[in-house]
DNA sequence: GTCGATGTTATCAA
DNA sequence: TTTGATAACATCGA
């Protein structure tokens, strides 16, 4: 589910409501998420700390706590972070409670999502370093250079978090359509002009999606539990077999690097 | 009932 | 370096 625009929407919602609040307590409903010893460690560190703010790096969401501690989430496919009291039948994985703010509940149907509690000097959850954030840090010349030097297919390049952080399968497809580039093109065969067009398309696609509070095609919800609006302007994502919005040719569904993708065989070369 | 696909990513073999 | 397969898991639709 959540790519950069979705995580950014959640981040800004949580930052608005929970910045400066003190964590009263938390509870865990899923041993797969936190083992008994991990929970004990959390219990000794987390309650009583206040939240300095929420940040985002790629698809990771970071809560900065007092004392330099950080709680970091990766929502993977179906993770949700929603403020408020969970419905009685709702199966949340982790709930963080505040005395003077709504509880923050982590839901995750497929249970791929992860959470970490790290001290200031404990580095980062993933071993492989993240590339520059697609919205906050991606320089045009770095992007064009990357495209020209990689042999992998252009869509796989966009999805590789070590190269660029935050782009997922929805926005990669949308940006490639906007830039009229076929997803399976070897990156280095993309011209400098096209790479520049793709840079603009990617940036515009992500910014627009943030303004529309993310894409809800299935599970995604913002921190209020509401759906996003960016799915209403998708041009190709999950639209295989429908006419191309630009030229009317039937959109084709295929696979690139193990991921499903849709493109217009006429507009995208 | 079965099969394949779904927004992610780490890991391993080739 | 890159690719493809696999594994985490639950649900939906054909």
């Amino acid at each position: 589910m959540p790519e950069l625009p979705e995580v950014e929407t959640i981040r800004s919602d949580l930052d608005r409501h929970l910045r400066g609040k003190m964590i009263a307590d938390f509870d865990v409903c899923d041993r797969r998420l936190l083992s008994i010893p991990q929970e004990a460690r959390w219990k000794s560190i987390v309650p009583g700390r206040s939240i300095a703010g929420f940040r985002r790096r790629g698809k990771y969401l970071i809560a900065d706590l007092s004392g330099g501690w950080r709680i970091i989430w990766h929502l993977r496919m179906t993770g949700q972070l929603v403020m408020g009291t969970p419905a009685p039948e709702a199966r949340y994985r982790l709930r963080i409670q505040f005395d003077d703010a709504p509880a923050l509940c982590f839901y995750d149907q497929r249970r791929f999502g992860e959470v970490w509690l790290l001290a200031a000097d404990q580095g980062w959850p993933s071993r492989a370093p993240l590339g520059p954030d697609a919205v906050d840090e991606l320089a045009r010349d770095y992007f064009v250079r990357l495209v020209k030097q990689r042999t992998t297919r252009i869509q796989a390049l966009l999805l590789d978090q070590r190269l660029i952080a935050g782009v997922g399968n929805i926005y990669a497809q949308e940006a490639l359509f906007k830039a009229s580039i076929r997803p399976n093109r070897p990156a280095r065969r993309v011209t400098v002009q096209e790479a520049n067009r793709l840079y603009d398309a990617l940036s515009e696609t992500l910014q627009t999606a943030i303004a529309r509070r993310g894409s809800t095609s299935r599970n995604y919800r913002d921190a209020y539990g509401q759906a996003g609006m960016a799915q209403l302007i998708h041009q190709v994502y999950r639209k295989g077999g429908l006419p191309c919005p630009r030229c009317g040719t039937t959109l084709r569904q295929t696979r690139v690097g193990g991921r499903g993708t849709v493109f217009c065989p006429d507009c995208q070369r």
Side-chain angles (χ1 to χ4, degrees), chain A residues 93-126:
Chain A
R93 304 183 75 192
L94 168 71
R95 173 175 56 177
I96 297 177
Q97 292 153 307
F98 301 85
D99 285 331
D100 56 351
L104 176 57
C105 298
F106 178 36
Y107 303 94
D108 188 8
Q109 183 183 92
R110 288 175 71 177
R111 299 199 293 166
F112 291 168
E114 291 183 80
V115 64
W116 299 266
L117 174 63
L118 296 178
D121 60 357
Q122 277 182 309
W124 189 250
S126 65

Side-chain angles (χ1 to χ4, degrees), chain A residues 82-92 95 105 107:
Chain A
V82 180
M83 294 179 290
T85 306
E89 73 282 4
R91 292 212 305 269
Y92 60 89
R95 173 175 56 177
C105 298
Y107 303 94

